[in-house]
Amino acid sequence: MKYEYYYNTVPGQGQVRNNLVYTSLISEDKKTFVQWYHNDTEYHQGKNEIIDPELMQDKWNREVEYLTLMYENYNDMVPEIRDIDIKEKKIYLNIDGVDFWQQHFDRQCRYEDVLSDWLEQMLAILEAHNNLGFYKYSLHPSSYFVVDGRLKSINYFFCHSDNEAQLPLEHFRSHISRDRQEKLEVFMSYNDINWNSVLPYKTLQTICLESFRSNYPAGFIDRAKMIYA
């Protein structure tokens, strides 16, 4: 099977990277998505956020740990795992077309026109994370696929749990997009937080959700925050 780089095409921006951490690949028939934890300069167009091999290894470890945790406990909420290639650091996922976010651009429609109950399904996924005792900060709408009417969550490299040591926000900065950083900084400034601040992971989840207000309806963000209240 042949694979090609997978990008998102965004109105007003054109082709953009689907992910800032790993290299995104998709099969020609768009039935398989590959998360390749390799710092591919061609894919990232010289804008690689993670160049530290140890940090990339940490992201790979988290992806495998939390994706498989979800697959074992809520396998209807994540794509079917076809294979995890430990040596090549590739995860093969069964999908059905481009991601949720891209679909709404391609069809020039609202999220609910792509999937009528997307909001309830996404909230249920966040509830599942909370039930399993971890926080997921990679919440962009491109972090979901739709398969057989079910929302499938991906990108578990940016997850943490309360049994880990808390870290300053600066530790996460390298793998947060510049656009997302700007949104975060507005909220941080208003709440007297800076990149050297060390905050509980639950608090970071709330801050993270706030940074996605421009990507989702306000009602969704408000309901999502209640899960962690």
Side-chain angles (χ1 to χ4, degrees), residues 7-139:
Y7 296 96
N8 287 109
T9 303
V10 181
Q13 297 182 49
Q15 181 176 277
V16 300
R17 290 173 293 165
N18 168 255
N19 193 271
L20 305 185
V21 174
Y22 57 78
T23 299
S24 299
L25 303 174
I26 195 168
S27 60
E28 289 183 326
D29 64 0
K30 293 181 172 54
K31 295 293 186 180
T32 307
F33 181 73
V34 182
Q35 298 171 293
W36 184 20
Y37 278 77
H38 166 65
N39 196 340
D40 189 296
T41 301
E42 182 179 353
Y43 177 78
H44 292 285
Q45 303 163 15
K47 300 176 182 178
N48 312 50
E49 265 72 13
I50 294 186
I51 57 176
D52 181 351
E54 290 187 6
L55 183 55
M56 182 67 85
Q57 182 65 45
D58 176 73
K59 294 296 145 190
W60 163 257
N61 292 342
R62 291 179 186 279
E63 183 74 54
V64 172
E65 176 183 357
Y66 290 103
L67 174 63
T68 55
L69 180 63
M70 281 292 290
Y71 193 67
E72 290 166 357
N73 292 275
Y74 295 94
N75 61 16
D76 60 326
M77 295 182 175
V78 294
E80 181 181 359
I81 301 173
R82 179 178 297 178
D83 184 38
I84 298 178
D85 187 330
I86 300 297
K87 182 178 179 181
E88 295 294 327
K89 292 187 173 63
K90 290 181 177 179
I91 299 177
Y92 295 79
L93 303 171
N94 289 339
I95 59 167
D96 187 18
V98 297
D99 66 72
F100 174 66
W101 191 53
Q102 189 61 55
Q103 283 195 47
H104 107 283
F105 283 135
D106 291 349
R107 294 167 56 180
Q108 299 181 21
C109 65
R110 303 170 302 169
Y111 290 160
E112 48 265 46
D113 296 321
V114 175
L115 187 63
S116 60
D117 62 344
W118 73 269
L119 190 150
E120 296 301 329
Q121 288 197 40
M122 200 173 288
L123 288 172
I125 290 170
L126 296 180
E127 287 274 13
H129 299 162
N130 193 45
N131 291 342
L132 291 174
F134 70 87
Y135 307 99
K136 182 176 186 283
Y137 306 118
S138 184
L139 299 174

Side-chain angles (χ1 to χ4, degrees), residues 139-150:
L139 299 174
H140 193 274
S142 64
S143 293
Y144 301 88
F145 284 93
V146 179
V147 180
D148 295 331
R150 300 296 304 174

